[in-house]
Amino acid sequence: MRKQIILFFFTSAIGISSLLSQAIDPDDSFTIELGLPNSFVNKPFMSIMQGLVAVSPLYQYTLKNHLSFGLGLHYTYFAVNEFRVPSKVYGGMHTIAGFAKFGHEKFWTERFGTDIGIKFGYGQTIISTDALKEDGIFFKRMNAPYLEPIIGLVLASDVASSFRFTVGYAFYGFSYRPWLIGVDSNLGYDAAELNKLSSFLTVGFGYTHYFNGKKSSSGDWE
């Protein structure tokens, strides 16, 4: 069901945009995305960690054929849900990653566009909780690849600005285990669940500034 929801967003955007005609050509731009991450797949990750924020600033350049290339940063914070562990644990998980983005960005009318792509990079995750500190461990740190297919439905507000609704599905290259937060057991999860990669769906909004404006084929915006 979750995979079907993600597929629906991607296919719907492509289907809608194919019915519209091109009007605006973006070039270089800066985008900042803000969203709410929701953990998936790895059951202990889904149960124990609660996503609070995901932020991604991005510089992007789009060619005349609408292929786009970008560089950016990715940050998320997941807090420990203290009610999902045998004894209350307070703290959370910070992840920051640098990434490159490859995709397709195009305006199909004067106002509406799509930005579909994939982010891939490498990140560092730091987990810090009171339970770890009680054991003499200030934090646990992991380095792992980061991958995130993402789609943005874009609405231009003027020649240099637009707002977007975004949906992304991120994968971190490590498996979440309860003992990473200082819990002494696997809490009854079997090995198959513990070995699944940490992943999450992010739904949010973004703002884009176009440095050189946009060129309209209709001539309405210059």
Side-chain angles (χ1 to χ4, degrees):
M1 181 62 181
R2 293 164 183 157
K3 293 181 179 179
Q4 293 173 342
I5 293 173
I6 298 169
L7 183 61
F8 170 77
F9 278 109
F10 278 83
T11 55
S12 295
I14 295 172
I16 293 172
S17 60
S18 65
L19 300 176
L20 304 173
S21 59
Q22 180 186 2
I24 303 169
D25 291 324
D27 39 38
D28 61 327
S29 61
F30 175 80
T31 297
I32 185 163
E33 299 163 348
L34 178 66
L36 180 66
N38 297 278
S39 49
F40 273 63
V41 180
N42 183 299
K43 286 186 177 179
F45 188 45
M46 293 173 58
S47 175
I48 298 171
M49 305 305 293
Q50 181 178 2
L52 295 184
V53 66
V55 182
S56 288
L58 166 73
Y59 171 82
Q60 181 165 289
Y61 189 84
T62 301
L63 304 176
K64 293 300 182 182
N65 61 4
H66 309 297
L67 292 180
S68 60
F69 305 88
L71 294 173
L73 294 175
H74 162 91
Y75 170 79
T76 59
Y77 178 69
F78 285 80
V80 177
N81 186 337
E82 64 269 21
F83 301 107
R84 296 298 181 91
V85 290
S87 58
K88 290 186 178 181
V89 177
Y90 298 95
M93 182 179 88
H94 303 264
T95 298
I96 186 166
F99 66 82
K101 179 187 174 188
F102 174 75
H104 180 275
E105 181 184 24
K106 184 175 180 179
F107 276 85
W108 304 89
T109 71
E110 185 178 90
R111 299 287 181 178
F112 176 76
T114 57
D115 187 358
I116 303 171
I118 185 166
K119 301 174 181 177
F120 53 94
Y122 200 77
Q124 182 174 94
T125 296
I126 295 176
I127 299 176
S128 178
T129 68
D130 56 348
L132 289 173
K133 292 174 183 177
E134 289 175 2
D135 293 334
I137 304 171
F138 186 70
F139 59 82
K140 288 192 175 181
R141 180 170 57 193
M142 293 163 290
N143 297 318
Y146 155 71
L147 180 71
E148 182 179 13
I150 189 168
I151 180 172
L153 303 180
V154 184
L155 185 64
S157 59
D158 58 41
V159 70
S161 303
S162 69
F163 297 89
R164 65 182 58 200
F165 171 75
T166 62
V167 179
Y169 194 89
F171 299 86
Y172 289 160
F174 67 90
S175 301
Y176 177 88
R177 285 60 180 310
W179 52 83
L180 290 173
I181 63 171
V183 177
D184 293 332
S185 71
N186 62 10
L187 303 182
Y189 295 103
D190 59 35
E193 288 297 336
L194 295 173
N195 289 332
K196 291 180 179 179
L197 292 179
S198 305
S199 61
F200 55 92
L201 178 73
T202 300
V203 178
F205 297 91
Y207 168 79
T208 298
H209 174 74
Y210 301 90
F211 292 107
N212 294 326
K214 305 187 220 61
K215 298 176 181 179
S216 172
S217 62
S218 65
D220 296 332
W221 290 358
E222 295 296 338

